[in-house]
Amino acid sequence: MAVGFNSGTFAEYQESLIERLIKIWAMVQIPASILAVILMIWCGWRYRRLFGRKNELKPIPPEYLPPNQASVMTSAYILKNYEIMAIKGSAKVAQLLDLAVRHYIKLYEVKKTSFLRSAQYEIEIVKDLKELRPEESEVIRDMFGSSMPKPGQRLNLKKLQNNLSYAARTRDDDTNLKNLARGNYALCEQTLANKRIVQKWALWVFVISVLLLSPMLLIVAGIVFALSFGWSLTDDGLSAQAIFGGTENVYRRS
């Protein structure tokens, strides 16, 4: 049996205008996403140089002594925010060693390292801690409790392990240190000039995202706009940063 159809009964499927536009949009998103990654890396690099004032740091002379105008904790804050991968290890441990070198505390090894356990240490207060900077004394105060310990008091550091009270006391340490660096020590500031520069970057990325209808570029524009409210190094912060870089170079060479 044969069935016949008139010519033109069946026709090739034709995409609608919306389907063609969606296909073109999807093809455009591949290079747009690559562009978004490139712009994010570029803006991040430029942001670090602009707010960290990198062009004003070179050349950095070797420094063999730590800065007098900043504690170890403040130094760690500056390096952490303006030097990528500059901080390794715990800043609080480094601060304790600094206080020991300055003869404010003593550290005792009460139990040596064994196969199944790590070494145990005790800390003893040697001098009155009232002369210390707020961030330095806060490290000790959090360890001993709410009140400032007096000379002669000792504490086994093992008691701080899995200690919820100690964890609660240290919860605001980062915020307090940030407020000190930005307020009392005036190492960082918000500048209108830098804010406008970064917002111009965000505006250009936003325009490109609209032209390409790219959600990735729109996200990058939002991130860059948020970065415009960041904090730049002041002259004092830049000076401290130069000393940090000099001591870091000496440490690496040694």
Side-chain angles (χ1 to χ4, degrees), residues 93-242:
V93 173
Q95 182 65 76
L96 288 177
L97 294 176
D98 175 67
L99 293 177
V101 170
R102 291 156 57 191
H103 306 292
Y104 281 96
I105 64 173
K106 286 184 179 180
L107 296 171
Y108 301 95
E109 184 180 28
V110 294
K111 287 187 179 180
K112 295 186 177 296
T113 304
S114 65
F115 179 73
L116 298 176
R117 70 183 181 194
S118 58
Q120 290 187 25
Y121 295 90
E122 281 190 358
I123 179 175
E124 180 186 3
I125 307 301
V126 179
K127 292 167 55 178
D128 193 343
L129 304 180
K130 293 181 180 179
E131 300 176 357
L132 296 180
R133 297 181 177 91
E135 69 275 15
E136 294 175 326
S137 61
E138 185 177 24
V139 173
I140 304 297
R141 188 172 60 251
D142 287 343
M143 296 172 67
F144 279 82
S146 57
S147 60
M148 184 66 69
K150 298 179 180 179
Q153 285 187 251
R154 296 181 63 150
L155 173 70
N156 193 314
L157 299 183
K158 185 180 179 181
K159 295 181 179 180
L160 303 179
Q161 297 178 2
N162 302 320
N163 189 316
L164 296 180
S165 298
Y166 174 66
R169 291 193 297 270
T170 59
R171 192 175 301 163
D172 60 348
D173 286 1
D174 292 339
T175 301
N176 293 340
L177 182 59
K178 177 179 66 176
N179 293 336
L180 285 170
R182 294 178 177 181
N184 297 36
Y185 301 149
L187 300 177
C188 313
E189 65 179 353
Q190 286 184 311
T191 61
L192 183 60
N194 288 348
K195 181 179 180 180
R196 288 176 175 174
I197 290 173
V198 178
Q199 287 183 352
K200 285 182 180 179
W201 301 347
L203 178 61
W204 277 108
V205 177
F206 174 76
V207 171
I208 298 174
S209 71
V210 172
L211 294 176
L212 299 179
L213 298 177
S214 171
M216 282 285 293
L217 285 169
L218 185 61
I219 293 174
V220 172
I223 294 174
V224 175
F225 180 78
L227 289 176
S228 68
F229 297 93
W231 291 69
S232 308
L233 285 175
T234 62
D235 291 341
D236 289 340
L238 184 65
S239 175
Q241 169 76 321

Side-chain angles (χ1 to χ4, degrees), residues 27-37 39 212-217:
M27 294 177 62
V28 170
Q29 296 318 299
I30 298 176
S33 298
I34 297 174
L35 179 61
V37 174
L39 287 176
L212 299 179
L213 298 177
S214 171
M216 282 285 293
L217 285 169

Side-chain angles (χ1 to χ4, degrees), residues 48-101:
R48 290 280 183 176
R49 293 187 64 82
L50 179 64
F51 282 69
R53 302 171 66 176
K54 296 297 182 184
N55 294 337
E56 304 175 51
L57 277 175
K58 294 181 180 180
I60 298 177
E63 295 284 349
Y64 296 89
L65 295 174
N68 294 324
Q69 69 268 40
S71 65
V72 172
M73 295 295 294
T74 307
S75 305
Y77 172 82
I78 294 295
L79 291 175
K80 182 179 178 181
N81 285 272
Y82 299 97
E83 286 287 344
I84 300 176
M85 302 299 292
I87 297 296
K88 297 179 181 179
S90 172
K92 289 185 179 181
V93 173
Q95 182 65 76
L96 288 177
L97 294 176
D98 175 67
L99 293 177
V101 170

